[in-house]
């Protein structure tokens, strides 16, 4: 799992995250806009794989961590 913080719209964020997937050779990038990432108790993120992007709702950072782990667990349980 990699992480990407970027400025710009969601399309640019997803494109940047897909590039980072390849560069870092990871299976999942948690991407978010800088305006949502810092100095807040909640976060808005997009989970990006080679084939999909899933925009999550704004949630507490602890809940986002749970959502990320749920996606990782599901990926490796199903191959």
């Amino acid at each position: 799992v990699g992480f990407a913080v970027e400025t710009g719209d969601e399309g640019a964020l997803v494109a940047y995250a897909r590039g980072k997937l390849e560069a870092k050779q990871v299976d999942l990038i948690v991407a978010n806009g800088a305006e949502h990432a810092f100095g807040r108790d909640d976060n808005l993120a997009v989970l990006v794989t080679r084939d999909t992007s899933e925009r999550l709702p704004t949630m507490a950072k602890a809940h986002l961590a749970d959502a990320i782990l749920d996606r990782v667990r599901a990926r490796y349980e199903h191959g």
Side-chain angles (χ1 to χ4, degrees):
V1 176
F3 295 85
V5 175
E6 182 68 18
T7 58
D9 66 16
E10 189 171 318
L13 180 64
V14 170
Y16 175 74
R18 287 236 162 83
K20 201 165 188 179
L21 274 169
E22 296 300 321
K24 300 294 183 183
Q25 295 294 298
V26 296
D27 296 321
L28 173 71
I29 294 285
V30 179
N32 51 20
E35 69 277 12
H36 299 288
F38 302 112
R40 300 173 55 135
D41 294 330
D42 60 6
N43 205 330
L44 173 67
V46 181
L47 303 182
V48 181
T49 67
R50 284 170 179 74
D51 303 320
T52 66
S53 63
E54 177 187 3
R55 185 177 197 266
L56 300 177
T58 301
M59 62 181 73
K61 289 182 178 180
H63 294 172
L64 176 58
D66 288 339
I68 294 165
L69 289 173
D70 288 344
R71 297 324 184 277
V72 170
R73 186 179 305 112
R75 176 177 175 86
Y76 290 103
E77 286 176 350
H78 297 96

